[in-house]
């Protein structure tokens, strides 16, 4: 554990500048990140999507690849170069989960799936599952609209609304399945496959356990 | 084996009943009942094996036809022709009469407009009015006319575009104040809500059959089975800075149908 | 006690003769003859759990969702009943199709059993409809979207489409009457019709006697109903109940409390129907984005994949016994089953049709598949547009060739002979073979 403060500028140069440029203006493989704000940088680096090994392939949440102190330092550095953009939101999970569920169903379910398990949104895009995201990262994504995700302003979803959504998500995560059945549903497609499995199993049982009889084909 | 099977069946049926009485979880309840059913299966299978006839049995198949034709009663023979046809026509007439009540169930469906009217304020599903700057650039919201949240055919996608990217259609100038453009949320293919907005590509995507609409170009379909663009709702800003509709949609909303002559 | 009851009835109805007839009746036995029974017992489970559910469900838009969602939070029995009901439906249609495949490939539909085939196919359609109306009853976000699509398909039908939609919904989607109509259709009309058809189906099968593999066309060869067949079918019942219960107690189906109530401005993702309706959804996804007009009336893009295609396929399937007879020029009665390989062309056609249905069903999740292999959805659409016609053709041809090869090999070994001949002494002192007919 480093006890000396991390040099954000040095960390940026080491981890980010090869694509985003020394001046943060980006290049052919990376966008301009001047003035994107703390939430943006914290989201991308905190979820491990950045630094990107291969710039043009988007990865999902794979956990931060840098120590938290380094991430914080990089965030501070980028903000210091050009202030602006949404700050890192403060989120609690003491909100109203029922209201959060209603908001989730109206604003998030159609992209991220009914249980936030992730879903395709056309082309080669997907809205990723939210199981690994911290509530802060969820709030950051809501405010910055990463990749194809829309941007939700505070006028549209207030900080209280975001708290409610975060509460609902964390309750959902904690509950695992809501219903006391060992295996959760993944939608009608796997359900159909299992239905066929059941019918096929019965057919197989009929074949395997048909009482033996003498062949009387003449 | 039969006895073992029956013992299992009785034991687990009783256990399942007790579990139900004590509010056991569905998983436990179901499994206890399932094992009871397995007991019946084992018992019946074993009994079938033990009690079965030693070999196949035979009995003759009876031809179930054809047999001698039904004779005509003699007094019908002379006037058969006219009677038969008239009876047939009468039956047909009654059949048509029988359908009439069902036709009467439906009124001639009036072309259903939406709930949008001139001057109606644009509100969120919580019935809160939307200002021209409520959405951030890159934001999207589902909106309705004020006090008519959930009205049929009226769901609308409000999208905030950066200035200058929208290709304004010739007869739609001013319809999108401050980059706020509004399209019907009801897919013109099969009526699903076109709920997915990809803000970096400026595309609306329908989850049902993957139709994609170009938000910058009058929401015309660019891929997928939809054939018609999403109708655009003309917006304006009222004196207090809230978004309002200039009127109803100028094109039919949602999928086409036979009566919706173009 | 049983003897007492039997004597009681016989004293009043003379029922012993009838009982003896029923109990002693001979049924041919083969493992594949139980496939229909799995469907039958799944149907019985549906009726049993369904009757219970009618005490809970409320068929109006305000209360429908809550009445079903409350089953999760109230007594666990209610939740299990709903789970068993829905899983039974999913397994029911699958079991029907497996049974139907057996009938098809062994040519059990031939004269005099054509009508039973028609009744069976009708029950397949009705079962799928019952399932669709049933899972739409809770008025949740996923099924509501499916209902909207169904309404749009209805609207796409020329002449009567708007009238039908108006009657069904009560004035345009969603309409105040739609749940009520779904309820009466799902709880009354369809199950009653299915039950009547089922009685006809079983009645015909008992009266005409079941077909058999044993090549003695003049006899029915098998075991008596009592005790042999009765015990075996009881085992089939136990197995059906056990498998469905185990599934329903382990894997959750249709989590409506996660989807939430239906609102016409939200949709879950992916948005797919239950598997037996998925071939229609697949057709809608890969169908051409082409709309034309007839005298100014639009024929929407939905029409071809969702109305014309299923009607055409259904017509061919229902008329199959007559198509088959015309093709084989065989209008004789048959009580003996054909081993599938004996009619390679039928194997080919059936396999092709099954493949087409399977590919169309798979096409309904083309967006998830596209994501999994990192391809744009449009590529998957193109892929399925090729796979459904050409892939099915390939499967059919390969299956037919394979069947023909199997038949050749078994014929070469001399184990099977399908011709029955009469030997007649000829003037040279030898024997002439005169074909009498097929033993099959």
């Amino acid at each position: 554990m480093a006890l000396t403060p991390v040099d954000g500028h040095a960390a940026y140069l080491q981890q980010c500048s090869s694509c985003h440029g020394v001046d943060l203006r980006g290049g052919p493989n990376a966008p301009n990140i001047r003035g994107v704000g703390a939430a943006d940088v914290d989201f991308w680096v905190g979820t491990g999507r950045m630094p990107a090994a291969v710039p043009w392939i988007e990865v999902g949440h794979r956990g931060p690849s840098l120590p938290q102190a380094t991430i914080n330092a990089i965030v501070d550095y980028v903000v210091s170069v050009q202030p602006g953009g949404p700050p890192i939101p403060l989120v609690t999970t003491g909100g109203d989960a029922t209201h959060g569920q209603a908001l989730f169903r109206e604003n998030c379910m159609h992209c991220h799936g009914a249980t936030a398990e992730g879903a395709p949104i056309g082309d080669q895009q997907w809205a990723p599952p939210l199981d690994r995201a911290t509530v802060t990262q969820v709030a950051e994504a809501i405010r910055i609209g990463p990749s194809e995700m829309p941007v939700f302003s505070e006028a549209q979803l207030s900080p209280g609304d975001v708290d409610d959504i975060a509460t609902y998500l964390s309750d959902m995560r904690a509950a695992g399945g809501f219903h006391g059945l060992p295996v959760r549903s993944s939608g009608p497609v796997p359900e159909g496959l299992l239905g066929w499995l059941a019918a096929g199993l019965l057919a197989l049982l009929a074949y395997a356990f048909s009482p033996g009889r003498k062949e009387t084909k003449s | 084996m039969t006895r073992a099977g029956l013992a299992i069946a009785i034991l687990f049926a009783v256990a399942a009943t007790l579990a139900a009485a004590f509010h056991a979880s569905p998983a436990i309840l179901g499994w206890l009942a399932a094992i009871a059913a397995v007991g019946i299966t084992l018992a019946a299978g074993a009994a079938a094996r033990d009690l079965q006839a030693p070999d196949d049995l035979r009995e003759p198949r009876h031809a179930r036809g054809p047999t001698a034709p039904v004779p005509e009663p003699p007094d019908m023979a002379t006037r058969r022709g006219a009677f038969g046809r008239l009876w047939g026509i009468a039956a047909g007439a009654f059949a048509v009469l029988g359908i009439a009540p069902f036709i009467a169930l439906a009124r001639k469906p009036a072309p259903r407009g939406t709930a949008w009217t001139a001057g109606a304020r644009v509100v969120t599903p919580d019935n809160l009015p939307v200002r021209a700057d409520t959405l951030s650039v890159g934001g999207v919201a589902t909106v309705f006319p004020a006090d008519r949240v959930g009205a049929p055919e009226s769901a609308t996608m409000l999208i905030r575009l950066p200035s200058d990217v929208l290709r304004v259609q010739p007869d739609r100038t001013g319809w999108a104040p401050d980059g706020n453009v509004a399209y019907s949320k009801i897919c013109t293919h099969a009526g699903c809500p076109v709920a997915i907005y990809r803000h970096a590509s400026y595309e609306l995507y329908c989850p049902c059959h993957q139709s994609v609409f170009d938000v910058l170009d009058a929401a015309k379909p660019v891929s997928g089975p939809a054939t018609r663009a999403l109708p655009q709702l003309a917006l304006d800003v009222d004196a207090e800075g809230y978004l309002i509709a200039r009127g109803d949609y100028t094109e039919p909303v949602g999928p086409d149908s036979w009566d919706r002559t173009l | 006690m049983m003897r007492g009851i039997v004597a009681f009835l016989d004293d009043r109805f003379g029922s012993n003769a009838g009982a003896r007839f029923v109990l002693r009746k001979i049924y041919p036995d083969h493992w594949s003859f139980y496939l229909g029974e799995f469907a039958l017992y799944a149907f019985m489970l549906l009726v049993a759990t369904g009757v219970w559910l009618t005490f809970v469900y409320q068929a109006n838009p305000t209360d429908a969702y809550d009445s079903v969602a409350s089953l999760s939070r109230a007594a666990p029995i209610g939740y299990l009943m709903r789970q068993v009901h829905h899983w039974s439906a999913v397994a029911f249609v699958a079991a029907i199709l497996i049974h139907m495949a057996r009938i098809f490939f062994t040519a059990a539909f031939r004269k005099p059993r054509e009508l039973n085939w028609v009744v069976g196919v009708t029950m397949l359609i009705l079962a799928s409809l019952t399932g669709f109306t049933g899972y739409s009853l809770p008025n949740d976000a996923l099924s509501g979207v499916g209902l909207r699509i169904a309404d749009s398909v209805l609207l796409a039908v020329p002449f009567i489409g708007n009238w039908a939609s108006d009657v069904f919904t009560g004035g345009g989607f969603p309409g105040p009457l739609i749940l009520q109509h779904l309820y009466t259709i799902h709880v009354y009309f369809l199950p009653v019709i299915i039950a009547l058809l089922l009685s006809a189906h079983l009645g015909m099968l008992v009266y005409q006697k079941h077909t058999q593999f044993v090549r003695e066309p003049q006899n029915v060869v098998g075991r008596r109903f009592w005790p042999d067949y009765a015990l075996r079918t009881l085992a089939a019942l136990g197995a059906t109940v056990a498998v469905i219960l185990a599934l329903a107690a382990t894997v959750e189906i249709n989590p409506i409390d996660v989807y939430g109530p239906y609102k016409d401005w939200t949709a879950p993702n992916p948005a797919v129907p239950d598997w037996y309706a998925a071939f229609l959804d697949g057709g809608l996804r890969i169908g051409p984005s082409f709309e034309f007009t007839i005298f100014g009336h639009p024929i929407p893009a939905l029409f071809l994949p969702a109305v014309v295609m299923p009607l055409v396929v259904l017509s061919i399937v229902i008329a199959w016994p007559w198509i088959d007879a015309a093709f084989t020029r065989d209008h004789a009665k048959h009580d003996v089953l054909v081993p599938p390989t004996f009619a390679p062309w039928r194997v080919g056609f059936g396999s092709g049709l099954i493949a087409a249905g399977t590919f169309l069903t798979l096409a309904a999740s083309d967006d998830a598949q596209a994501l999994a292999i990192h391809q744009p959805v449009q590529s998957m659409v193109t892929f399925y547009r090729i796979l459904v016609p050409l892939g099915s053709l390939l499967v059919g041809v390969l299956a037919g060739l394979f069947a023909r090869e199997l038949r050749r090999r078994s014929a070469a070994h001399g184990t099977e002979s399908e011709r029955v001949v009469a030997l007649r002494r000829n003037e040279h002192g030898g024997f002439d073979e005169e074909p009498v007919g097929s033993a099959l």
Side-chain angles (χ1 to χ4, degrees):
Chain A
M1 189 80 168
L3 294 172
T4 54
V6 179
D7 182 347
H9 186 184
Y12 174 81
L13 287 173
Q14 187 183 15
Q15 304 287 349
C16 323
S17 62
S18 55
C19 291
H20 286 285
V22 178
D23 57 357
L24 283 69
R25 288 187 198 279
N29 290 331
N32 183 340
I33 54 171
R34 294 179 75 92
V36 288
D40 194 295
V41 181
D42 189 54
F43 174 79
W44 283 100
V45 185
T47 58
R49 289 176 165 90
M50 289 288 144
V54 185
W56 52 87
I57 290 183
E58 174 150 339
V59 285
H61 193 313
R62 51 182 188 164
S65 54
L66 299 173
Q68 191 59 45
T70 313
I71 298 177
N72 294 342
I74 294 178
V75 169
D76 290 340
Y77 171 71
V78 170
V79 170
S80 72
V81 167
Q82 183 170 318
I88 297 178
L90 289 165
V91 195
T92 72
T93 51
D96 178 355
T98 312
H99 185 230
Q101 181 181 61
L103 287 170
F104 182 82
R105 285 172 179 166
E106 283 180 3
N107 295 291
C108 324
M109 165 167 86
H110 42 260
C111 288
H112 285 282
T115 52
E117 74 274 22
I121 54 172
D123 282 343
Q124 289 149 282
Q125 306 287 348
W126 74 333
L130 304 180
D131 52 333
R132 300 193 63 175
T134 66
V135 291
T136 309
Q137 286 160 353
V138 168
E140 286 169 348
I142 290 175
R143 292 295 178 225
I144 68 172
S147 296
E148 298 277 22
M149 179 166 167
V151 180
F152 294 91
S153 66
E154 291 208 359
Q156 204 183 347
L157 285 177
S158 68
D161 290 336
V162 173
D163 283 345
D164 292 342
I165 294 176
T167 309
Y168 172 64
L169 283 175
S170 93
D171 281 359
M172 182 156 61
R173 205 177 308 169
F178 277 125
H179 320 288
L181 279 191
V183 181
R184 220 164 58 157
S185 164
S186 313
V189 173
E191 289 166 7
L193 287 170
L194 282 174
W196 270 95
L197 200 74
L201 177 64
L202 286 169
L204 201 67
L205 288 172
Y207 175 69
F209 288 103
S210 58
R213 37 188 294 281
K214 291 203 291 241
E215 281 298 320
T216 50
K217 287 196 183 124
S218 51
Chain B
M1 179 59 122
T2 310
R3 269 180 304 198
L6 286 170
I8 292 174
I10 296 168
L11 199 68
F12 279 87
V14 169
T17 312
L18 286 174
F22 285 102
H23 298 286
S25 75
I28 293 178
L29 254 179
W31 271 99
L32 290 175
I35 297 174
V38 169
I40 293 287
T41 314
L42 292 174
R49 198 188 47 220
D50 295 338
L51 300 176
Q52 70 180 346
D55 201 352
D56 283 339
L57 300 164
R58 285 168 170 68
E59 73 190 7
R61 287 182 182 266
H62 304 290
R64 294 298 188 192
T67 55
V70 177
E72 285 281 342
D75 54 318
M76 290 288 285
T78 48
R79 294 157 73 188
R80 226 180 54 196
F83 261 48
R85 252 168 268 139
L86 269 180
W87 280 108
I89 293 171
F94 273 96
V96 171
L97 176 63
I99 300 175
F102 289 93
I103 308 239
L105 277 175
R107 303 126 296 181
K108 170 78 177 167
R112 269 203 326 179
T114 72
W116 289 99
T117 53
R121 275 220 179 137
V122 169
V123 297
T124 65
D126 291 332
N127 208 26
L128 299 168
V130 180
R131 304 180 62 86
D133 58 358
T134 300
L135 263 54
S136 304
V137 169
V140 65
T142 306
V143 294
F144 288 95
D147 302 319
R148 300 296 307 273
V149 173
E153 312 290 270
S154 307
T156 301
M157 285 291 253
L158 179 69
I159 297 167
R160 186 90 190 272
L161 295 172
S163 46
D164 302 334
V165 300
L166 178 67
R167 260 162 266 151
V168 180
Q169 309 296 310
D171 48 350
R172 298 185 185 185
T173 40
W175 282 29
D178 258 346
N180 288 286
V181 66
Y183 295 110
S184 167
K185 195 168 182 179
I186 305 187
C187 188
T188 52
H189 178 237
C192 293
V194 187
I196 298 169
Y197 176 55
R198 297 208 296 257
H199 95 269
S201 316
Y202 303 113
E203 282 172 344
L204 279 169
Y205 169 81
C206 185
C208 288
H209 311 111
Q210 291 80 53
S211 295
V212 180
F213 302 91
D214 185 357
V215 168
L216 300 180
D217 191 15
K220 290 184 185 140
V222 294
S223 79
T227 54
R228 206 161 57 85
L230 298 172
Q232 184 175 355
L233 185 69
L235 295 178
D236 207 345
V237 183
D238 75 2
E240 287 132 30
Y242 291 104
L243 286 172
I244 57 169
R246 292 187 187 209
D248 199 353
Y249 285 94
T250 54
E251 294 170 337
V253 154
D256 286 329
S257 64
W258 177 259
D259 279 357
R260 194 181 274 171
T261 44
L262 295 172
Chain C
M1 189 182 77
M2 281 305 298
R3 276 185 236 275
I5 295 175
V6 170
F8 177 91
L9 290 171
D10 180 57
D11 209 7
R12 289 150 184 78
F13 299 103
S15 48
N16 275 356
R20 215 174 296 128
F21 175 77
V22 166
L23 294 177
R24 289 177 57 81
K25 197 161 178 65
I26 290 180
Y27 294 89
D29 197 29
H30 189 262
W31 70 266
S32 68
F33 298 172
Y34 294 91
L35 298 173
E37 296 182 21
F38 297 137
L40 171 67
Y41 296 133
F43 180 66
M44 288 183 184
L45 259 181
L46 282 168
V47 171
T49 50
V51 165
W52 187 91
L53 286 167
T54 61
F55 286 98
V56 173
Y57 178 72
Q58 299 184 51
N60 62 77
T62 326
D63 300 315
Y65 177 79
D66 289 324
S67 68
V68 182
S70 68
L71 289 177
S72 305
R73 304 172 215 129
I77 297 182
Y79 184 65
L80 189 65
M81 291 296 244
R82 202 195 120 226
Q83 291 283 293
V84 173
H85 193 70
H86 200 144
W87 276 119
S88 302
V90 172
F92 178 42
V93 184
I96 293 179
L97 278 170
I98 296 177
H99 166 65
M100 189 171 146
R102 194 285 286 171
I103 303 290
F104 179 87
F105 288 115
T106 58
F109 53 76
R110 293 180 297 176
K111 184 173 179 177
R113 293 175 178 82
E114 306 100 314
L115 219 52
N116 227 0
W117 167 267
V118 172
V119 167
V121 174
T122 309
M123 284 198 289
L124 168 68
I125 308 302
L126 295 181
S128 308
L129 266 176
T130 314
F132 178 76
T133 50
Y135 76 73
S136 304
L137 286 176
N139 202 26
D140 58 279
L142 183 60
S143 66
V145 162
L147 268 184
R148 179 75 206 241
I149 298 175
D151 183 63
S152 303
V153 170
L154 207 55
L155 283 168
V157 177
F159 298 111
I160 62 166
N162 289 77
W163 165 83
S165 165
D166 191 59
V167 171
F168 185 60
T169 59
F173 194 86
L177 297 180
I178 194 171
L179 285 176
Q180 223 172 287
H181 289 160
L182 287 171
Y183 182 75
T184 49
I185 290 172
H186 177 78
V187 173
Y188 300 117
F189 296 144
L190 288 176
V192 167
I193 297 175
I194 292 179
L196 289 172
L197 288 176
L198 201 53
S199 311
H201 197 68
L202 294 173
M204 278 191 268
L205 134 70
V206 169
Y207 185 66
Q208 293 179 318
K209 295 189 173 35
H210 201 286
T211 49
Q212 67 196 27
F213 283 103
V214 174
R215 292 224 203 103
E216 287 181 39
Q218 67 278 20
N219 287 330
V220 58
V221 181
R223 304 296 170 85
R224 298 201 193 282
F225 180 73
W226 186 264
D228 300 64
Y229 210 66
L231 287 170
R232 289 166 196 203
T233 200
L234 182 60
L237 169 61
T240 310
V241 172
V243 168
I244 293 180
L245 266 179
L247 189 55
T250 313
V251 185
E252 178 190 40
I253 190 169
N254 198 24
I256 58 158
D257 22 8
V258 176
Y259 298 138
Y262 175 62
K263 291 182 167 41
D264 80 346
W265 67 92
T266 60
N269 189 2
V272 286
D274 270 14
W275 77 264
Y276 41 82
F279 75 99
L280 291 168
D281 197 60
L284 283 174
R285 288 175 185 222
I286 68 173
S289 68
F290 182 65
E291 179 174 292
F292 54 97
T293 61
I294 297 181
F295 298 117
H297 291 278
I299 304 290
L302 298 172
F303 186 62
L304 274 172
V307 181
V308 173
M309 183 273 288
L311 279 178
V312 166
V313 173
L314 185 63
S315 309
I316 295 175
V317 172
I318 281 194
W320 185 255
W322 292 277
I323 298 174
D324 193 278
F327 203 80
T328 54
R329 286 183 282 263
D330 179 0
H331 300 275
K333 291 188 192 177
H334 295 279
D335 295 308
V336 176
L337 294 169
V338 177
T341 49
F342 271 61
W345 72 273
R346 191 184 293 130
V347 171
F349 188 87
S351 306
L353 200 59
I354 292 174
T358 309
F359 293 146
L360 266 179
T361 306
L362 287 174
S365 60
D366 60 350
D367 53 346
Q369 292 161 25
L371 184 63
I373 62 172
H374 301 293
Q375 290 299 313
V377 172
Q378 266 309 105
S379 302
M380 291 306 293
V381 171
T382 311
F383 168 68
Y384 276 107
R385 281 180 176 165
I386 300 173
L387 184 70
V388 169
L390 294 181
S392 313
L393 190 65
L394 189 65
V395 168
V397 166
L398 286 178
L401 289 173
F402 184 59
R404 195 170 67 174
E405 186 56 34
L406 285 177
R407 175 188 177 186
R408 266 204 205 120
R409 291 190 192 188
S410 69
H413 286 138
T415 52
E416 306 286 8
S417 166
E418 65 198 71
R419 288 190 315 134
V420 173
V421 295
L423 295 175
R424 181 164 287 124
R425 251 247 129 104
N426 61 25
E427 57 266 5
H428 306 290
F431 286 98
D432 279 337
E433 283 182 354
E434 234 177 60
V436 165
S438 170
L440 290 173

